[in-house]
Coordinates of all heavy atoms in Angstrom, one line a residue:
S786 N 85.0 96.4 4.5 CA 86.1 97.2 5.1 C 85.7 98.0 6.3 O 86.5 98.7 6.9 CB 86.8 98.1 4.0 OG 85.9 99.0 3.5
Q787 N 84.4 98.0 6.6 CA 83.9 98.7 7.7 C 84.1 100.2 7.7 O 84.4 100.8 8.7 CB 84.4 98.1 9.1 CG 84.0 96.6 9.2 CD 84.4 96.0 10.5 OE1 85.4 96.5 11.2 NE2 83.8 94.9 10.9
V788 N 83.9 100.7 6.5 CA 84.0 102.2 6.3 C 82.8 102.6 5.6 O 82.3 102.0 4.7 CB 85.3 102.5 5.4 CG1 85.3 104.0 5.2 CG2 86.6 102.0 6.1
P789 N 82.1 103.7 6.1 CA 80.9 104.2 5.4 C 81.2 104.4 3.9 O 82.2 105.0 3.5 CB 80.6 105.5 6.1 CG 81.2 105.3 7.4 CD 82.5 104.5 7.2
F790 N 80.3 103.9 3.1 CA 80.5 103.9 1.6 C 80.6 105.4 1.1 O 81.3 105.7 0.2 CB 79.5 103.1 0.8 CG 78.1 103.7 0.9 CD1 77.6 104.6 0.0 CD2 77.2 103.2 1.8 CE1 76.3 105.1 0.0 CE2 75.9 103.6 1.8 CZ 75.5 104.6 1.0
I791 N 79.9 106.3 1.8 CA 79.9 107.7 1.3 C 81.2 108.3 1.6 O 81.6 109.3 0.9 CB 78.7 108.5 2.0 CG1 78.4 109.7 1.1 CG2 79.0 108.8 3.4 CD1 77.0 110.2 1.4
L792 N 82.0 107.8 2.5 CA 83.3 108.3 2.8 C 84.4 107.6 1.9 O 85.3 108.2 1.4 CB 83.7 108.1 4.3 CG 82.9 108.9 5.3 CD1 83.3 108.5 6.7 CD2 83.0 110.4 5.0
Q793 N 84.2 106.3 1.8 CA 85.2 105.5 1.0 C 85.0 105.7 -0.5 O 86.0 105.7 -1.2 CB 85.1 104.0 1.3 CG 86.2 103.2 0.8 CD 86.2 101.7 1.3 OE1 85.2 101.3 1.9 NE2 87.3 101.1 1.2
Y794 N 83.8 105.8 -1.0 CA 83.5 106.0 -2.4 C 82.6 107.2 -2.6 O 81.4 107.0 -3.0 CB 82.9 104.7 -3.0 CG 83.7 103.5 -2.9 CD1 83.5 102.5 -1.9 CD2 84.8 103.3 -3.7 CE1 84.2 101.4 -1.8 CE2 85.6 102.1 -3.6 CZ 85.3 101.2 -2.6 OH 86.1 100.1 -2.5
P795 N 83.0 108.4 -2.4 CA 82.2 109.6 -2.4 C 81.6 109.8 -3.8 O 80.6 110.5 -4.0 CB 83.0 110.7 -2.0 CG 84.4 110.3 -2.1 CD 84.4 108.8 -2.0
K796 N 82.3 109.3 -4.9 CA 81.8 109.5 -6.2 C 81.0 108.3 -6.8 O 80.5 108.4 -7.9 CB 82.9 109.8 -7.2 CG 83.6 111.1 -6.8 CD 84.6 111.6 -7.9 CE 85.4 112.8 -7.6 NZ 84.7 114.0 -7.3
G797 N 80.8 107.3 -5.9 CA 80.0 106.2 -6.3 C 78.5 106.5 -6.5 O 78.0 107.5 -6.0
S798 N 77.8 105.7 -7.3 CA 76.4 106.0 -7.6 C 75.5 106.0 -6.3 O 74.6 106.8 -6.2 CB 75.9 105.0 -8.6 OG 75.9 103.7 -8.1
A799 N 75.8 105.1 -5.4 CA 75.0 105.2 -4.1 C 75.3 106.4 -3.3 O 74.3 107.1 -2.8 CB 75.3 103.9 -3.3
S800 N 76.5 106.8 -3.3 CA 76.9 108.1 -2.6 C 76.2 109.3 -3.3 O 75.7 110.2 -2.6 CB 78.4 108.3 -2.6 OG 79.0 107.3 -1.8
Q801 N 76.2 109.3 -4.6 CA 75.6 110.4 -5.3 C 74.1 110.4 -5.0 O 73.5 111.5 -4.9 CB 75.9 110.3 -6.8 CG 77.4 110.5 -7.1 CD 77.9 111.9 -6.7 OE1 77.3 112.9 -6.9 NE2 79.0 111.8 -6.0
G802 N 73.5 109.2 -5.0 CA 72.1 109.2 -4.7 C 71.7 109.7 -3.3 O 70.8 110.5 -3.2
I803 N 72.6 109.4 -2.3 CA 72.4 109.9 -1.0 C 72.5 111.4 -1.0 O 71.7 112.1 -0.4 CB 73.4 109.3 0.0 CG1 73.2 107.8 0.1 CG2 73.3 110.0 1.4 CD1 72.0 107.4 1.0
K804 N 73.5 111.9 -1.6 CA 73.7 113.4 -1.7 C 72.6 114.1 -2.3 O 72.1 115.1 -1.9 CB 75.0 113.7 -2.4 CG 76.3 113.3 -1.6 CD 77.5 113.5 -2.4 CE 78.7 112.9 -1.7 NZ 80.0 113.0 -2.5
N805 N 72.0 113.5 -3.4 CA 70.9 114.1 -4.1 C 69.7 114.1 -3.2 O 68.9 115.1 -3.2 CB 70.6 113.4 -5.4 CG 71.7 113.6 -6.5 OD1 72.5 114.6 -6.4 ND2 71.8 112.7 -7.4
I806 N 69.4 113.0 -2.5 CA 68.3 112.9 -1.6 C 68.4 114.0 -0.5 O 67.4 114.7 -0.2 CB 68.2 111.5 -1.0 CG1 67.7 110.6 -2.2 CG2 67.2 111.5 0.2 CD1 67.9 109.1 -1.8
V807 N 69.6 114.1 0.1 CA 69.8 115.1 1.1 C 69.5 116.5 0.6 O 68.8 117.3 1.3 CB 71.2 115.0 1.7 CG1 71.5 116.2 2.6 CG2 71.3 113.7 2.5
N808 N 70.0 116.8 -0.6 CA 69.8 118.1 -1.2 C 68.3 118.4 -1.4 O 67.8 119.4 -1.2 CB 70.6 118.3 -2.4 CG 72.1 118.5 -2.1 OD1 72.5 119.0 -1.1 ND2 72.9 118.1 -3.1

Side-chain angles (χ1 to χ4, degrees):
S786 62
Q787 298 182 339
V788 177
F790 67 87
I791 202 160
L792 297 178
Q793 190 169 16
Y794 300 102
K796 295 193 186 298
S798 61
S800 295
Q801 293 303 311
I803 296 285
K804 290 174 187 175
N805 291 338
I806 289 166
V807 168
N808 287 332

